[in-house]
């Protein structure tokens, strides 16, 4: 456009200089007419040029918005705002889960994260979600303390047009969320049961009398691990002497195990803790009660999560097998958000990769529903790489 404007002005200048050179009145009038013509032409050309410039600027702004959307910024060019209602701070696993989200959804990465630690309080968690709705965040992430009671508040999120992504534990009484990223807790429970069957056979242990310290009652992780282990126990004719909740905490694990050591003294040969922190507490209680646990001792101790400290206890010959639950969901949640930003439809379920850990003498072949499983030897390198 600039060339056209320049060409118009140059040709007009040439006409004016020719006419001015004639010196006659007629020529002068003609020059004045030419000048007016030039001025009109120049104005028209300038207006057209300006219009084109405006168009170019708008196109550039659109390109910036698109680039921002790709780079993790909201449509107005600002950061993507996220509300995250986290279960609490009850375990090493939870600490890793929170850190994963705070690392990924940082301001440097183009996000504004509103984080609420709901301290294992279901009412506080619903209140946190409603506060995110009031804030008008772009996305809401929920790790549901328990699996039920969610449809009302998820309907409020849907009415507000805010997509919800569920991580880790599941919501079992509503599907008003765009995606869930987590683990198969039933598989984890079955893995522990099938491993115990194979290991007991290898060790020549004919009778299993198990005590279970379960997670927070009603949490999908507790439900899945309890159901999965019980399915194998029922099939194999084992006895589950008792199951009480340790609420996924070390204090809870110790308190329940202290009670078990009194009530079931000399009657149990397996303890199943539904996370490592409960196992830490149970070990303290068994130490205090003089109960020998770990490979080569009276009691087989099984745990879940496989956090760094849990694997250290496997390597130390205290926990016989540790069934991982991967807390590092945030990168997969970010993938879901980017898909939504790009107008794509994410998968409704995204499963995390998990491993089953033991020392060489406790590594045995087993299957889950016919699928052969691979166990991972706990080494110093494996521990150093864990979450
Ligand atoms: C499982 C997660 C559980 C962990 C515990 O996905 O929800 O909650 O197993 C944590 O450590 O407290």
């Amino acid at each position: 456009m600039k060339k056209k404007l320049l060409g118009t002005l140059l040709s007009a200048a040439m006409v004016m200089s020719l006419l001015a050179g004639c010196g006659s009145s007629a020529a002068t009038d003609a020059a004045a007419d030419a000048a007016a013509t030039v001025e009109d032409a120049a104005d028209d050309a300038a207006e057209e040029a300006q219009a084109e410039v405006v168009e170019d600027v708008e196109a550039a702004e659109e390109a910036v918005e698109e680039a921002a959307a790709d780079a993790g910024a909201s449509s107005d060019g600002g950061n993507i705002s996220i509300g995250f209602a986290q279960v609490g701070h009850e375990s090493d696993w939870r600490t890793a889960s929170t850190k994963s989200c705070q690392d990924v959804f940082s301001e440097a990465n183009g996000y504004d994260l509103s984080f609420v630690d709901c301290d294992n309080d279901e009412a506080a968690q619903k209140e946190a979600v409603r506060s995110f709705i009031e804030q008008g965040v772009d996305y809401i992430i929920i790790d549901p303390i328990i699996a039920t009671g969610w449809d009302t508040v998820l309907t409020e999120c849907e009415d507000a047009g805010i997509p919800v992504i569920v991580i880790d534990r599941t919501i079992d009484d509503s599907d008003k969320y765009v995606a869930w990223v987590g683990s198969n807790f039933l598989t984890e429970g079955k893995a522990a049961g099938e491993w115990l069957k194979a290991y007991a056979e290898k060790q020549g242990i004919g009778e299993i009398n198990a005590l279970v310290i379960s997670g927070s009652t009603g949490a999908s992780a507790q439900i899945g691990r309890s159901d999965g282990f019980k399915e194998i126990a029922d099939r194999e004719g084992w006895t589950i002497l008792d199951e009480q909740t340790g609420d996924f905490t070390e204090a809870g694990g110790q308190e329940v195990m202290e009670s078990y050591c009194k009530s079931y003294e000399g009657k149990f040969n397996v303890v199943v803790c539904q996370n490592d922190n409960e196992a830490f507490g149970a070990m303290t209680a068994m130490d205090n009660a003089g109960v020998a646990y770990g490979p080569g001792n009276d009691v087989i101790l099984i745990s879940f999560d496989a956090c760094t400290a849990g694997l250290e206890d496997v390597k130390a010959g205290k926990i016989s097998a540790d069934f991982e639950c991967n807390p590092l969901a945030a990168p997969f949640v970010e993938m879901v958000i980017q898909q939504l930003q790009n107008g794509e439809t994410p998968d409704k379920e995204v499963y995390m990769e998990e491993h089953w850990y033991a020392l060489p003498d406790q590594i045995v072949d087993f299957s889950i529903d016919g699928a052969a499983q691979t166990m991972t030897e706990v080494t110093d390198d494996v521990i150093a790489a864990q979450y």
Side-chain angles (χ1 to χ4, degrees):
M1 184 55 224
K2 288 175 185 167
K3 281 183 181 173
K4 184 179 175 188
L5 173 59
L6 189 58
T8 304
L9 291 174
L10 283 175
S11 54
M14 283 166 62
V15 167
M16 284 170 64
S17 61
L18 285 173
L19 289 170
C22 295
S24 68
S25 60
T28 305
D29 290 348
D33 291 347
T37 306
V38 165
E39 195 176 340
D40 292 347
D43 289 348
D44 292 349
E47 275 174 26
E48 199 179 320
Q50 189 183 10
E52 291 231 345
V53 168
V54 168
E55 261 177 51
D56 291 350
V57 167
E58 283 170 355
E61 279 175 346
E62 201 173 303
V64 166
E65 281 174 12
E66 282 169 17
D70 293 344
S74 65
S75 56
D76 63 2
N79 285 353
I80 294 177
S81 56
I82 295 176
F84 176 25
Q86 174 62 292
V87 166
H89 50 275
E90 73 286 355
S91 63
D92 293 29
W93 189 99
R94 189 64 53 200
T95 302
S97 165
T98 294
K99 185 177 184 304
S100 175
C101 283
Q102 290 175 332
D103 288 350
V104 168
F105 299 117
S106 65
E107 190 168 357
N109 288 342
Y111 300 96
D112 291 330
L113 179 65
S114 299
F115 172 79
V116 176
D117 171 341
C118 300
D119 198 17
N120 238 16
D121 179 332
E122 301 147 50
Q125 189 162 51
K126 304 288 192 314
E127 192 180 316
V129 172
R130 291 190 168 101
S131 73
F132 298 147
I133 294 172
E134 282 171 32
Q135 288 173 46
V137 297
D138 295 315
Y139 297 93
I140 292 174
I141 300 173
I142 301 171
D143 188 334
I145 293 168
I146 63 167
T148 55
W150 283 101
D151 195 58
T152 302
V153 73
L154 290 185
T155 303
E156 292 168 30
C157 294
E158 192 173 65
D159 292 345
I162 302 176
V164 172
I165 299 161
V166 180
I167 65 168
D168 176 29
R169 299 179 188 177
T170 58
I171 286 176
D172 295 346
D173 65 349
S174 176
D175 66 353
K176 291 171 182 155
Y177 53 86
V178 291
W180 165 82
V181 180
S183 303
N184 188 319
F185 306 118
L186 186 69
T187 297
E188 292 172 4
K190 288 182 178 180
E194 296 291 12
W195 170 84
L196 180 58
K197 172 184 180 286
Y199 182 63
E201 281 170 2
K202 177 185 173 188
Q203 297 297 103
I205 298 170
E207 191 177 338
I208 298 290
N209 292 294
L211 290 168
V212 177
I213 302 178
S214 57
S216 303
T217 303
S220 58
Q222 174 272 312
I223 295 167
R225 289 169 191 165
S226 294
D227 290 353
F229 183 77
K230 186 176 185 302
E231 181 179 317
I232 310 307
D234 290 348
R235 186 194 73 197
E236 297 299 317
W238 301 337
T239 301
I240 296 179
L241 296 165
D242 205 341
E243 178 163 348
Q244 293 178 27
T245 180
D247 221 8
F248 285 132
T249 66
E250 184 169 346
Q254 182 172 344
E255 187 180 332
V256 172
M257 196 67 232
E258 282 167 353
S259 166
Y260 282 166
C261 286
K262 293 185 182 87
S263 307
Y264 302 98
E265 185 178 357
K267 296 176 182 171
F268 62 94
N269 61 351
V270 174
V271 173
V272 181
C273 294
Q274 289 190 354
N275 82 329
D276 289 327
N277 293 79
E278 289 177 343
F280 305 153
M283 284 187 267
T284 301
M286 287 192 278
D287 289 342
N288 295 339
V291 174
Y293 54 86
N297 289 312
D298 304 337
V299 173
I300 296 168
L301 178 57
I302 293 170
S303 186
F304 292 86
D305 282 356
C307 69
T308 300
L311 294 187
E312 285 168 348
D313 281 335
V314 172
K315 187 114 179 6
K318 297 178 178 179
I319 294 174
S320 294
D322 207 340
F323 298 86
E324 184 181 42
C325 180
N326 188 334
L328 309 182
F332 299 93
V333 175
E334 182 176 42
M335 183 179 68
V336 168
I337 289 175
Q338 291 306 322
Q339 286 175 305
L340 294 168
Q341 287 288 108
N342 298 333
E344 298 162 18
T345 304
D347 291 338
K348 186 80 174 183
E349 295 178 342
V350 179
Y351 282 93
M352 305 293 291
E353 188 179 332
E354 329 252 70
H355 301 88
W356 317 136
Y357 293 97
L359 288 178
D361 288 349
Q362 281 69 53
I363 290 180
V364 290
D365 294 329
F366 69 93
S367 298
I368 300 173
D369 298 328
Q373 300 296 303
T374 304
M375 293 191 80
T376 303
E377 178 186 350
V378 175
T379 63
D380 290 337
D381 289 346
V382 164
I383 292 171
Q386 195 58 340
Y387 63 84

